[in-house]
Amino acid sequence: MSAKVDIEFTVNGAVRQVSVPADMSALDMLRDQLDLKGAKEACGEGECGACTIIVDDASVCSCLMYAADCDGRTIETIEGVQTVDGLDPIQQAFVDQGAVQCGYCTPGMVMQAKHMLAKNPNPTEGDIQRGLEGNVCRCTGYRKIFDAVAEAARS
Amino acid sequence: MSNIENYLAPSSIEDAAAALAAGPATIVAGGTDLMLQTGSGQKTYAPTLINIQKITEMRGISKDGDTIRIGALTTITDLLTDAIIAEHLPVLATMADKFASDQIRNASSIGGNICNASPAGDSIVPMLMYKAEVVLVASTGTRKVPLNEFFTGPGKSVIQENELLIGVDIAVPPAGFKGGFGKFGPRPALEIAMASVSVGGVVKDGVISDVRVAFGAVAPTPIRSAETEVALEGKKLDEETISAAGEVASSSVNPITDVRASDWYRRHLIRVMTEEILNDVS
Amino acid sequence: MDQIVEKPETLIGKPIPKPDAPDKVVGKTTYINDMVLPRMLIAKIKRTDRVHAKILSVDISEAEKVPGIVAIATAENSPKGLIGVLKDNPPLKGDKVRCIRDEIAGVAGETEEAVDEALNLIKVEYEDLPTVFDPEEALKDDAPLIHDNKPGNLSLTFDFDHGDIKKAEKDSDIVLEEKYELHYVTHTCMGPGCVIADFDTHGKLTIYTQTQYPYNYKMDLAPALDIPAGDIRVIQPPVGGAFGSKLDVYPFEPIAVYLAKKARRPVKLFFSREEEFIASPTRQPARVYIKQGAKKDGTITFRDVNVYLNNGGYTSWGATIPAVMMRTMTGHFRIPNVEFHSKAVYTNNPFAGSFRGYGNVQATYVTATLMDKMAEELGMNPIEFRLKNAQKPGERTPQNSLLKTAALADCIKIGAEKTDFLEKHTANVAAREKPGRIRQGIGIATSIHNAGGAKIHKSDGCGTILTMDDYGRATVITGASEIGQGIDAVITQLVSEELGIPTSDVIIANNDSAIGPWDVGVHASRTTFIAGNAARNAAVKAKHQILAAAARQSNVSADQLDLRGGHVVQKDNGVSVTKLDRLLRAMHFAGDDAELVMVSEYYEPPSELEDKNHVGDISAAYSHGAYITELEVDTLTGGVKLHKMTCVQDVGKVINKLGIEGQMEGGIAQGIGYGLSEELIIEEGIVKNPNFRDYKVVTAPEMPEIECHFIEDDEETGPFGAKGISELPCIIPGASIANAVYNAIGVRFDNPPITPEKIVRALHGDKVEAAE
Ligand SMILES: Cc1cc2nc3c(=O)[nH]c(=O)nc-3n(C[C@H](O)[C@H](O)[C@H](O)COP(=O)(O)OP(=O)(O)OC[C@H]3O[C@@H](n4cnc5c(N)ncnc54)[C@H](O)[C@@H]3O)c2cc1C
């Protein structure tokens, strides 16, 4: 067993303190220790984006990030996107545009879309396609996801 | 089974160097290589894991006189938007645009890309072209090694167990310098290069000089190609020169065949991309 | 004042979001991979590292000692029953291993770490056996035998014969003879394989599974378990995709059950992504020899098809794909004389299952490229030659598929018109002669697929129970599974349309075999058609019951009444007679006359089983599609960039606009992967690229623009006229791309995927050409 590391960080606005094995991934910590199972492990090798979270304003694959490295950082997961008033405009657009089928890639897609729109509020279609290049979807053929991101950008 | 006994997250280069001096340690930056390689058993952890991400002085790009320092923790994403890079080392931004995906670029550090010493490491190829030097720090002192002399094999370099790569230094290229980077994988994104090329030089009145040519994914390490450089140095960049250089480039490499590509195709790509960049800069 | 309820616009054809989408976008949906049951153990599988070997011994003694290990299942200590289409696959291998997927032991423990450690400590001794990897090699007399009881390594064969191909060949003006090598691809569902097994105290099994085939699943699973099928309860939590991969039982599922039984605790067994690549089924690879003849005027005279299927070590659904392949080979275009013969042959490769398109992806790649080759040979253009041989409405194929509406010619004509196909096609051919690095290409491919179910089982039906609560909500208990494809939205829509209630007032219950009535599973593009009909019919029955009660209350006859906006109204003027919920309560609480609205429907489509000669009209409807691809080829790197895919398909009727487009686009992405980039590389039985890095699914920047033209020909037997549509989009693109690549560069690829390296090799041979 690897040494435990005590860390403190902000997740979805709340300060959390946990003790994690030094070799644990942020994804495993979120899912298994914080019961935030929205981020999915679909490949575990950074190739599919289903585990995307936002760390200090940058989207990353949480499967490749060390949990210990969350210390002192601000993290947003899919569970933090929805507001008390309801769905975030990006989430609403995913629903309305039919961008969700099996939905396994959806949390990662939404997080990446959110990051993309934060950096570039008026993306072209090409920007959207490139912005989602690290997120694999096997159901939708992406077109409806492009529509959803474009719709969210408009609103 | 992994067995990390100590975890350290120093916040200065000094503290990191001291920790490295204390005994065998594994350094982690973005973790995009390390997590995968330890997970698959390709690599095992030393007893101490040192997370260097809190060393803020190691992130960012600065210019001091004619030398540009790229801190080891600078991410690939940083290269895309940095003004110094855009002005003086634009080929690094071209490279960054072809690197992995947004999420991976956001996490990947330059230092990690270099120290991982992959034959296909994308940032290495244009940095070889720019004649970068790596800056290595140990508790005993600092040394600089030309990137060209840094790699010794796949995953291997001259970095010592007690050393930390803190950044790379690149001399501002001379006036009239033009360069390019090409990488080929079948998809537009998320590709490990089947082959990559960076070519640069001073182009004046159609003649190229101070030529530097570097290739990735066609040898055990990223390489400079002296033969191709000779074939170009002082020549007029006309169709004939370009085609001859492409010929030299492809015959100068001796790549492997694997699931991604055959040796033949890799050589072909080297030629195509070398010529393409030369056509662009001519 | 009378309340007037206006007739609402129909919901049919509207974009209706999936009811489960909101939970999915907020990360709330609990997929099977996310589930945790109290006291649940973690389990994994010890696999072989050989492709053909005798097992001399399996030693689990060290593994058992690892703290936290609760149960280890091996062939020796587990039930001996077999699984698979031919019951040739022991979930745990005791005597020998036949392919790299093979399972030696299952290990269940308290933590993943303990399980991993135990797996490493299991020692297996083998004696390697001679291997064979090629189906034609495996048929030879001296080939190693994979299963002792399968002489000649033969798994399944299919043979069909119609007319006289010998004579037709003699009468032909031209004959083309071609060989195709169709590759391995795999589903890469985003949710990796996972199963949870749990026994209750009566010894009855609850299995949480990704199956898309829940009722047959019991029957297929039971033989391996030593428990009666009736004692199995199948629960289908949300899954991360299926695409056909979950139509059969695979060894990991019984293994989880063995472990749960031994441990007397719930056991969750799951795959890593690497394991998903190695140990889940693939699309069936195929070697196809095909001969086709035609008259000078372009009339096709015959087809002669011989197929060798690499069956791998065991027989799953892959070996049965000729059932679908044959329909296209014999019945796509008018083929007066035809023979089809296929052999699935055991080898030491991994084995194939079913995958969206089911044999028709392969058949269409072959036939659609052959049609182009033959057109060129005849000096005809690809449109003209196809139109010459397209069937007319009312024709029957040699296997007796009745093409009631036969929109094939329309699909082709519309596609050609919308894309200026012929002008571009001619211009691109001319441009090949001129210098230039980038070449433009346009290509067409067409196919046919069953669109009204497919009677491959004795029943192709679906059961539905519909009940109404006291508040006007309808609960639809359907046998149909939701695996992401969107039947939840379709059923919601059909039921609200009939009952005049909002879609949010329809609740679907469909994930528990203890509750749901029987259905034959999500496959064969059947669910909207079959389950849709069942749900709609149930809703109509409920409506009759409600209107009859309203008529009794209101003195207006039932045929003058309608349901609208949560009211019972007078049909002609929309005047509300009563609110629906009030009526339902009145019906429910009527003392001795109390009635609950609670109806059931078992819908069996009007189709027939094939006879032993493979003749039979297996589907209530068929659908055609013509897909046109526009692309460019970089002749120096071999890179292909897709510009646009224009798809014309006869769909009967669009029910859910979002759903149908989503199915089209998603299928197309998989079809593009088949044609251009995806290949599971298997060398000497070993999977060489078990990861997303080197197994290249289509990513966002690669998606072309997609333009769909739906021909709505109102299928009389479909729900509101709809047909099943979801496999054609995956079936046609590969061939369409191949034809477009040919148009661009004049090279044919009979061995997809058409990778950049293949293109460059074909164009430049071994010489390395200069850039311009
Ligand atoms: C999906 C995916 C796609 C990728 N695509 C590309 C691509 O297109 N091109 C490409 O080149 N690479 C690619 N990579 C590889 C990887 O992302 C890069 O090599 C990245 O730059 C590594 O940086 P890191 O900070 O994550 O390194 P880490 O994983 O943290 O470290 C890598 C290695 O370097 C050592 N190290 C790190 N920093 C230092 C330092 N300052 N001093 C001494 N040693 C150090 C570590 O000990 C480790 O051995 C990809 C990886 C993934 C997962």
Side-chain angles (χ1 to χ4, degrees):
Chain A
M1 271 295 270
S2 281
K4 286 280 182 79
V5 185
D6 295 327
I7 58 172
E8 180 175 315
F9 59 102
T10 305
V11 57
N12 301 328
V15 176
R16 303 293 299 254
Q17 291 161 333
V18 283
S19 183
V20 296
D23 59 348
M24 183 183 241
S25 70
L27 178 63
D28 284 348
M29 173 196 62
L30 291 170
R31 290 178 57 86
D32 299 342
Q33 298 205 1
L34 300 184
D35 204 21
L36 295 170
K37 290 194 161 62
K40 302 287 177 250
E41 175 162 329
C43 78
E45 45 197 29
E47 298 278 346
C48 80
C51 65
T52 301
I53 61 171
I54 297 178
V55 180
D56 293 341
D57 299 327
S59 60
V60 300
C61 291
S62 60
C63 71
L64 295 182
M65 181 182 185
Y66 284 79
D69 193 33
C70 293
D71 187 47
R73 297 185 188 267
T74 299
I75 287 175
E76 187 174 1
T77 72
I78 188 69
E79 289 87 352
V81 176
Q82 190 185 5
T83 67
V84 279
D85 303 328
L87 300 184
D88 176 274
I90 298 175
Q91 294 172 319
Q92 191 63 51
F94 269 66
V95 173
D96 294 344
Q97 298 293 323
V100 180
Q101 288 186 30
C102 88
Y104 213 75
C105 74
T106 304
M109 284 283 181
V110 169
M111 294 313 287
Q112 179 59 20
K114 196 167 154 45
H115 170 68
M116 183 203 319
L117 292 179
K119 298 270 148 182
N120 177 6
N122 295 304
T124 62
E125 167 148 349
D127 294 341
I128 294 174
Q129 297 208 0
R130 284 236 32 207
L132 297 174
E133 66 195 9
N135 292 72
V136 173
C137 171
R138 195 57 161 160
C139 293
T140 67
Y142 306 98
R143 302 288 336 175
K144 300 253 169 291
I145 299 176
F146 304 157
D147 295 347
V149 178
E151 164 77 25
R154 278 191 298 271
S155 65
Chain B
M1 281 248 77
S2 74
N3 196 2
I4 302 168
E5 292 164 20
N6 280 305
Y7 172 86
L8 299 171
S11 52
S12 70
I13 292 173
E14 252 186 315
D15 289 354
L20 281 168
T26 303
I27 293 171
V28 59
T32 60
D33 281 318
L34 190 68
M35 185 72 97
L36 271 184
Q37 292 165 3
T38 51
S40 69
Q42 206 181 319
K43 202 174 201 150
T44 46
Y45 290 107
T48 299
L49 181 66
I50 304 179
N51 177 2
I52 58 175
Q53 298 270 33
K54 290 192 175 168
I55 313 178
T56 45
E57 58 187 308
M58 266 169 55
R59 180 162 178 183
I61 296 140
S62 57
K63 185 163 166 288
D64 182 7
D66 272 351
T67 304
I68 295 167
R69 162 72 56 95
I70 303 174
L73 288 176
T74 306
T75 65
I76 305 298
T77 301
D78 295 341
L79 298 177
L80 277 173
T81 49
D82 186 81
I84 298 174
I85 297 291
E87 186 180 348
H88 300 288
L89 306 173
V91 181
L92 285 179
T94 310
M95 176 284 299
D97 193 49
K98 297 177 194 287
F99 191 108
S101 65
D102 192 29
Q103 290 96 317
I104 301 298
R105 287 191 293 271
N106 291 336
S108 289
S109 68
I110 282 287
N113 198 237
I114 295 172
C115 292
N116 188 51
S118 160
D122 280 334
S123 78
I124 300 168
V125 179
M127 283 199 285
L128 282 171
M129 185 277 288
Y130 280 132
K131 296 189 182 166
E133 290 185 312
V134 301
V135 186
L136 304 174
V137 170
S139 59
T140 49
T142 300
R143 63 174 177 140
K144 283 193 177 188
V145 179
L147 191 57
N148 203 7
E149 294 164 19
F150 184 70
F151 303 105
T152 55
K156 296 206 183 79
S157 69
V158 300
I159 195 168
Q160 299 297 303
E161 272 210 334
N162 63 344
E163 284 180 319
L164 175 71
L165 188 150
I166 65 159
V168 294
D169 282 351
I170 299 177
V172 171
F177 191 88
K178 283 185 180 175
F181 174 77
K183 164 184 176 181
F184 190 80
R187 293 190 297 209
L190 271 181
E191 284 290 3
I192 301 302
M194 285 176 170
S196 57
V197 177
S198 188
V199 182
V202 176
V203 184
K204 209 174 153 206
D205 304 330
V207 173
I208 189 163
S209 59
D210 189 10
V211 184
R212 309 91 176 268
V213 178
F215 300 139
V218 290
T221 71
I223 50 165
R224 282 272 295 270
S225 172
E227 284 135 294
T228 317
E229 290 171 2
V230 168
L232 284 165
E233 187 65 41
K235 300 266 171 63
K236 194 163 171 51
L237 277 184
D238 55 17
E239 217 173 291
E240 202 181 322
T241 310
I242 292 175
S243 155
E247 181 74 49
V248 173
S250 74
S251 55
S252 73
V253 293
N254 193 10
I256 56 161
T257 293
D258 61 13
V259 287
R260 289 181 195 139
S262 71
D263 59 339
W264 177 85
Y265 185 50
R266 287 195 157 98
R267 271 199 305 272
H268 172 83
L269 290 170
I270 287 289
R271 170 174 197 150
V272 168
M273 290 188 288
T274 301
E275 295 184 16
E276 192 174 19
I277 297 169
L278 288 169
N279 277 312
D280 283 350
V281 301
S282 71
Chain C
M1 261 295 288
D2 287 338
Q3 186 179 350
I4 311 272
V5 186
E6 297 293 338
K7 195 174 165 80
E9 241 188 285
T10 175
L11 284 170
I12 304 305
K14 295 280 152 26
I16 304 293
K18 270 172 69 56
D20 60 359
D23 274 359
K24 286 176 172 173
V25 297
V26 301
K28 191 175 186 325
T29 303
T30 302
Y31 291 85
I32 183 170
N33 312 65
D34 301 326
M35 282 179 64
V36 180
L37 298 182
R39 302 192 70 234
M40 185 178 88
L41 297 170
I42 298 299
K44 293 192 187 184
I45 289 174
K46 170 81 178 177
R47 292 183 192 282
T48 184
D49 55 2
R50 312 296 170 98
V51 297
H52 199 198
K54 233 160 104 178
I55 300 172
L56 302 177
S57 67
V58 177
D59 178 2
I60 57 170
S61 56
E62 290 303 310
E64 282 175 319
K65 290 182 199 148
V66 174
I69 293 304
V70 180
I72 299 183
T74 61
E76 204 189 316
N77 67 18
S78 300
K80 306 280 179 275
L82 301 168
I83 57 171
V85 169
L86 292 185
K87 297 284 175 279
D88 59 6
N89 192 355
L92 286 162
K93 279 66 182 172
D95 57 344
K96 68 178 209 167
V97 293
R98 299 175 177 85
C99 71
I100 198 66
R101 288 180 65 172
D102 277 8
E103 299 79 2
I104 303 292
V107 177
E110 305 284 354
T111 64
E112 197 174 340
E113 290 70 31
V115 172
D116 285 339
E117 193 182 338
L119 288 174
N120 281 331
L121 293 172
I122 294 176
K123 289 189 207 77
V124 191
E125 285 182 318
Y126 297 101
E127 180 185 310
D128 282 318
L129 295 169
T131 52
V132 62
F133 304 105
D134 182 278
E136 288 185 85
E137 290 296 318
L139 281 174
K140 292 184 177 157
D141 290 343
D142 57 350
L145 205 56
I146 312 293
H147 290 266
D148 292 344
N149 59 351
K150 302 283 181 191
N153 288 323
L154 219 49
S155 162
L156 284 175
T157 58
F158 287 77
D159 297 284
F160 177 76
D161 184 346
H162 176 87
D164 183 346
I165 59 165
K166 294 233 164 52
K167 179 170 181 305
E169 183 168 357
K170 280 208 207 85
D171 296 345
S172 301
D173 294 320
I174 66 159
V175 172
L176 282 185
E177 201 170 346
E178 302 285 328
K179 176 184 174 187
Y180 287 83
E181 198 75 60
L182 300 161
H183 60 308
Y184 284 95
V185 295
T186 186
H187 310 71
T188 72
C189 300
M190 294 309 289
C194 187
V195 63
I196 302 173
D198 189 15
F199 281 92
D200 73 8
T201 330
H202 298 287
K204 293 189 178 169
L205 171 67
T206 299
I207 187 156
Y208 301 82
T209 140
Q210 297 166 317
T211 187
Q212 55 192 99
Y213 196 56
Y215 300 91
N216 290 292
Y217 185 80
K218 298 186 189 191
M219 171 183 81
D220 290 349
L221 187 60
L225 302 184
D226 281 351
I227 55 175
D231 282 356
I232 303 172
R233 177 176 177 186
V234 178
I235 295 186
Q236 299 165 274
V239 298
F243 316 115
S245 63
K246 284 121 175 81
L247 211 57
D248 204 351
V249 167
Y250 292 106
F252 74 104
E253 297 161 299
I255 291 171
V257 178
Y258 304 156
L259 291 167
K261 185 141 203 176
K262 283 183 200 303
R264 292 204 259 153
R265 285 169 65 176
V267 167
K268 178 180 188 177
L269 195 153
F270 56 88
F271 284 180
S272 66
R273 178 54 61 186
E274 183 182 20
E275 215 171 0
E276 181 76 13
F277 273 106
I278 294 171
S280 47
T282 65
R283 187 183 290 290
Q284 178 65 55
R287 182 174 300 151
V288 179
Y289 297 91
I290 186 166
K291 230 199 256 186
Q292 178 173 299
K295 296 280 203 189
K296 274 203 206 78
D297 70 354
T299 309
I300 295 174
T301 46
F302 78 98
R303 267 185 199 159
D304 180 10
V305 187
N306 283 284
V307 181
Y308 295 89
L309 301 178
N310 195 326
N311 195 67
Y314 304 94
T315 307
S316 179
W317 287 113
T320 72
I321 62 155
V324 176
M325 202 176 207
M326 201 194 288
R327 292 267 157 185
T328 298
M329 293 288 199
T330 64
H332 189 40
F333 296 103
R334 194 179 298 114
I335 317 290
N337 303 283
V338 57
E339 282 193 29
F340 177 98
H341 305 285
S342 75
K343 291 187 167 73
V345 192
Y346 288 104
T347 68
N348 296 117
N349 269 7
F351 53 100
S354 72
F355 192 164
R356 191 178 195 174
Y358 211 88
N360 202 358
V361 175
Q362 299 89 324
T364 297
Y365 193 91
V366 171
T367 53
T369 53
L370 187 62
M371 288 299 283
D372 257 31
K373 292 178 192 177
M374 190 159 257
E376 186 171 7
E377 202 75 16
L378 286 162
M380 293 174 87
N381 73 54
I383 303 297
E384 177 187 15
F385 178 53
R386 284 183 169 86
L387 288 176
K388 173 102 196 165
N389 292 285
Q391 291 110 322
K392 303 244 156 27
E395 283 188 48
R396 284 182 185 272
T397 70
Q399 286 184 268
N400 209 32
S401 302
L402 171 61
L403 309 178
K404 279 184 289 194
T405 50
L408 176 56
D410 289 342
C411 289
I412 296 168
K413 282 186 214 150
I414 294 171
E417 252 166 53
K418 297 274 176 203
T419 55
D420 294 330
F421 183 91
L422 286 174
E423 292 88 295
K424 288 181 188 162
H425 194 264
T426 313
N428 293 338
V429 172
R432 276 192 226 147
E433 306 306 319
K434 302 195 193 101
R437 172 172 176 173
I438 306 293
R439 303 273 181 220
Q440 304 297 324
I442 188 166
I444 184 171
T446 63
S447 196
I448 181 176
H449 206 67
N450 44 271
K455 198 156 284 180
I456 52 171
H457 297 274
K458 286 175 193 133
S459 167
D460 191 23
C462 173
T464 298
I465 299 163
L466 190 155
T467 73
M468 306 253 358
D469 70 8
D470 294 342
Y471 317 101
R473 285 358 181 233
T475 296
V476 186
I477 307 171
T478 168
S481 302
E482 172 60 40
I483 53 173
Q485 86 281 31
I487 191 59
D488 52 355
V490 166
I491 287 179
T492 301
Q493 207 174 347
L494 297 174
V495 169
S496 30
E497 179 77 8
E498 288 296 352
L499 296 180
I501 56 176
T503 50
S504 55
D505 284 0
V506 179
I507 299 151
I508 309 268
N510 67 335
N511 65 354
D512 185 344
S513 73
I515 296 168
W518 195 84
D519 173 75
V520 80
V522 184
H523 61 89
S525 302
R526 67 182 286 281
T527 307
T528 289
F529 188 93
I530 309 274
N533 267 326
R536 185 187 181 198
N537 293 352
V540 168
K541 285 183 187 171
K543 182 174 178 175
H544 285 319
Q545 190 183 346
I546 293 164
L547 294 186
R552 285 195 298 275
Q553 273 196 3
S554 64
N555 294 328
V556 184
S557 73
D559 59 359
Q560 298 300 312
L561 294 172
D562 202 359
L563 294 174
R564 239 178 241 180
H567 289 255
V568 181
V569 299
Q570 296 184 28
K571 223 183 230 167
D572 51 356
N573 57 16
V575 170
S576 173
V577 172
T578 171
K579 284 189 73 191
L580 176 61
D581 59 341
R582 189 179 307 150
L583 173 68
L584 288 166
R585 286 193 293 274
M587 291 165 73
H588 185 184
F589 303 120
D592 288 348
D593 295 330
E595 57 176 326
L596 201 60
V597 178
M598 187 169 60
V599 298
S600 70
E601 163 75 5
Y602 185 69
Y603 175 77
E604 181 71 38
S607 52
E608 57 194 41
L609 283 162
E610 286 186 349
D611 64 17
K612 61 181 190 315
N613 298 317
H614 303 292
V615 174
D617 193 12
I618 55 157
S619 186
Y622 299 87
S623 171
H624 287 96
Y627 288 26
I628 292 167
T629 304
E630 293 172 71
L631 52 68
E632 65 181 48
V633 180
D634 181 332
T635 56
L636 288 182
T637 61
V640 174
K641 188 170 171 2
L642 299 179
H643 296 310
K644 186 168 179 184
M645 202 167 282
T646 305
C647 312
V648 190
Q649 190 166 320
D650 72 301
V651 302
K653 186 92 187 166
V654 174
I655 302 290
N656 183 358
K657 186 162 177 296
L658 282 184
I660 197 169
E661 288 173 0
Q663 286 300 308
M664 295 291 292
E665 291 159 4
I668 287 168
Q670 294 174 348
I672 292 171
Y674 188 80
L676 283 182
S677 61
E678 291 180 40
E679 178 170 23
L680 198 67
I681 301 169
I682 295 171
E683 287 171 9
E684 310 237 294
I686 306 287
V687 180
K688 293 294 192 184
N689 55 342
N691 52 61
F692 277 127
R693 186 165 283 199
D694 292 315
Y695 183 88
K696 302 203 180 289
V697 299
V698 172
T699 56
E702 294 161 87
M703 268 321 270
E705 180 189 347
I706 293 170
E707 187 177 301
C708 296
H709 299 277
F710 298 125
I711 299 179
E712 296 189 278
D713 57 357
D714 278 322
E715 167 54 41
E716 58 187 9
T717 59
F720 291 97
K723 294 181 181 182
I725 65 105
S726 295
E727 284 169 291
L728 278 177
C730 179
I731 289 166
I732 307 179
S736 176
I737 289 168
N739 286 338
V741 167
Y742 179 77
N743 181 237
I745 60 172
V747 182
R748 287 273 168 210
F749 295 91
D750 296 341
N751 56 340
I754 307 173
T755 60
E757 176 160 357
K758 282 184 192 160
I759 289 178
V760 172
R761 276 189 184 273
L763 289 175
H764 301 279
D766 277 336
K767 69 181 186 306
V768 177
E769 296 245 328
E772 334 120 47

